[in-house]
Amino acid sequence: MKALLLAGGLGTRLRPLTENLPKPMAPIANRPWLEHLIIHLREQGVDQFIMAAHHYPDVIRRHFGDGRRWGVKIEYSLEPFPMGTAGAIKNAERFLDERFLVVNADIVHLPQLVPLLDFHRQHGGIATIALTEVEDPSSYGVVEQDDSGRILRFVEKPRREEAPSNRINAGLYIFEPEVMRYIPAQREVSIERETFPRLIEEGAGVYGMVSNGYWRDMGTPARYRQVHWDVLNRRFPLLMHGRQIQPDVWAGEDVEFGAGVLLVPPVLIGNKVKVGDQTVIGPYAVIGDNCYIGAHVHCSNSILWDRSVVRDNSRLSNSIFGYRTVAPAGEVFNNSIINQPGEVMRA
Ligand code: GTP
């Protein structure tokens, strides 16, 4: 089966981390989220991927190439301008002549595809939308369904007490290729605002089914951080690269700790990391591969992407450093999100 991965958004809410990479390439637990997603979908039987990309597509291509290393085939559908979540599907029409899957590549969710595909075959409509149940649906598009699962309408951002359900679009769809007839070409088209309402209005058969399990959109710094804390807490059972060196502390290969280093769980440390004397890491810290952390540093509630450097006596809390960010000695970073590769950053 083929999956079209929507990875072309600008990711404005996650800036500056997305200033030089597509949001789905942001690492979760030290690997690009897109890599976790492709591996999961491969295990669910997807062997061909089309990457719908626009913003820094070469970052994706450099990492995955043709997908051979992951045992899948990856092709690229590049957009001359951001064509929106349905425009991107139309733009990839030449790749999609059979039933296909579409996945918002920035949603952190490891869906089970078989029940969704069975349901899709049974109802015989043009589309199946995977749904997720949220406690407070008031900031989402909520679905109203009949007993067969058919979606009657979407209610955008309803007041909590007026919401017809607590089921929202989980950002994963199964489509019949006929859907292309409903999407205009060569312009920006939103699947939520334009295509689904049109398919419902024309009676093409749009159905929804709940996809259980962890679900979160990583589109803002707070949510991006929360996904990490959920991984560390094992509320989201993502594969950890590394071994557990003490309860709830995972570390990769070639990690060197100086004298008196304190690791306060939960913590995840990548490969080839050096930590100086008397440094305290955690609670809640994710340190990428090839990072260097000096002596007498305190780092908690923070995420460092690969090759970051934190020099002696610095303090980090609630902060995120993009690839190769360098923090000078003796600086305090609180609630800082910095993405300036190679530059020495002051708080
Ligand atoms: P914000 O700018 O912060 O809203 O992020 P975003 O641009 O990524 O938008 P949003 O979170 O709504 O996008 C949901 C998913 O669709 C993400 O995986 C995006 O990469 C993808 N997406 C959004 N717009 C486009 C587009 O124009 N083309 C393609 N190919 N994908 C898109």
Side-chain angles (χ1 to χ4, degrees):
M1 182 164 198
K2 281 190 184 178
L4 178 74
L5 302 182
L6 297 177
L10 300 178
T12 49
R13 290 164 301 155
L14 203 54
R15 282 181 187 162
L17 297 171
T18 44
E19 257 161 19
N20 49 7
L21 92 169
K23 182 170 40 170
M25 287 299 284
I28 302 288
N30 293 339
R31 293 288 184 285
W33 168 247
L34 209 40
E35 186 176 318
H36 292 292
L37 181 65
I38 286 174
I39 291 170
H40 173 75
L41 293 175
R42 181 192 68 198
E43 284 162 7
Q44 298 280 308
V46 180
D47 56 357
Q48 294 186 49
F49 293 87
I50 296 106
M51 204 66 81
H54 164 75
H55 179 66
Y56 288 93
D58 289 347
V59 174
I60 304 177
R61 209 195 278 271
R62 267 202 309 274
H63 189 83
F64 292 104
D66 63 6
R68 207 172 309 171
R69 220 181 108 199
W70 285 267
V72 297
K73 180 176 175 190
I74 301 179
E75 292 169 290
Y76 295 83
S77 170
L78 301 188
E79 290 153 45
F81 55 91
M83 300 183 89
T85 40
I89 299 174
K90 183 72 178 175
N91 190 56
E93 187 168 7
R94 65 187 184 284
F95 297 103
L96 302 166
D97 49 6
E98 288 170 14
R99 182 174 296 161
F100 61 96
L101 196 71
V102 173
V103 184
N104 276 10
D106 66 334
I107 298 292
V108 179
H109 175 39
L110 298 174
Q112 295 301 312
L113 295 185
V114 170
L116 291 164
L117 286 164
D118 285 347
F119 175 66
H120 183 83
R121 266 182 228 110
Q122 281 157 17
H123 70 60
I126 201 167
T128 297
I129 304 180
L131 306 173
T132 186
E133 295 179 317
V134 292
E135 217 164 272
D136 178 7
S138 58
S139 53
Y140 297 98
V142 180
V143 298
E144 183 176 336
Q145 293 171 278
D146 69 13
D147 291 343
S148 70
R150 193 179 187 111
I151 295 180
L152 306 174
R153 61 181 184 129
F154 285 89
V155 185
E156 272 308 311
K157 301 189 174 65
R159 294 230 304 267
R160 205 168 175 171
E161 59 283 7
E162 287 168 6
S165 73
N166 62 345
R167 296 175 167 194
I168 65 165
N169 174 354
L172 181 142
Y173 322 114
I174 301 165
F175 282 119
E176 294 302 315
E178 291 72 52
V179 73
M180 296 297 180
R181 292 211 304 266
Y182 296 82
I183 310 174
Q186 300 304 326
R187 71 164 170 87
E188 189 191 345
V189 188
S190 156
I191 201 161
E192 300 88 348
R193 286 192 299 277
E194 212 174 312
T195 309
F196 285 137
R198 181 169 172 200
L199 291 172
I200 292 170
E201 198 183 298
E202 300 202 12
V206 178
Y207 290 76
M209 183 186 184
V210 172
S211 170
N212 292 314
Y214 185 88
W215 184 93
R216 199 175 281 274
D217 137 30
M218 63 145 139
T220 66
R223 292 177 187 167
Y224 177 73
R225 250 192 299 250
Q226 189 58 47
V227 170
H228 279 88
W229 309 158
D230 292 342
V231 171
L232 291 180
N233 281 330
R234 309 313 286 148
R235 277 185 55 200
F236 176 38
L238 195 66
L239 177 73
M240 293 279 202
H241 291 269
R243 57 193 181 87
Q244 225 176 129
I245 55 171
Q246 66 180 67
D248 294 329
V249 175
W250 292 265
E253 308 282 319
D254 300 329
V255 178
E256 287 175 35
F257 295 112
V261 167
L262 187 61
L263 302 171
V264 186
V267 168
L268 170 64
I269 297 175
N271 298 317
K272 298 188 180 153
V273 172
K274 273 193 184 164
V275 182
D277 296 349
Q278 311 296 330
T279 279
V280 182
I281 298 186
Y284 294 99
V286 176
I287 314 289
D289 291 349
N290 293 292
C291 285
Y292 173 85
I293 299 181
H296 300 274
V297 168
H298 275 233
C299 174
S300 62
N301 293 286
S302 295
I303 300 160
L304 306 186
W305 293 7
D306 297 354
R307 296 180 191 279
S308 294
V309 174
V310 181
R311 300 210 190 279
D312 298 352
N313 299 305
S314 279
R315 284 174 174 267
L316 268 75
S317 55
N318 294 312
S319 293
I320 308 173
F321 280 9
Y323 292 123
R324 297 199 297 124
T325 295
V326 183
E331 207 65 29
V332 177
F333 295 87
N334 185 18
N335 289 317
S336 304
I337 302 181
I338 298 175
N339 183 26
Q340 300 272 357
E343 280 184 43
V344 176
M345 291 308 303
R346 301 206 175 267

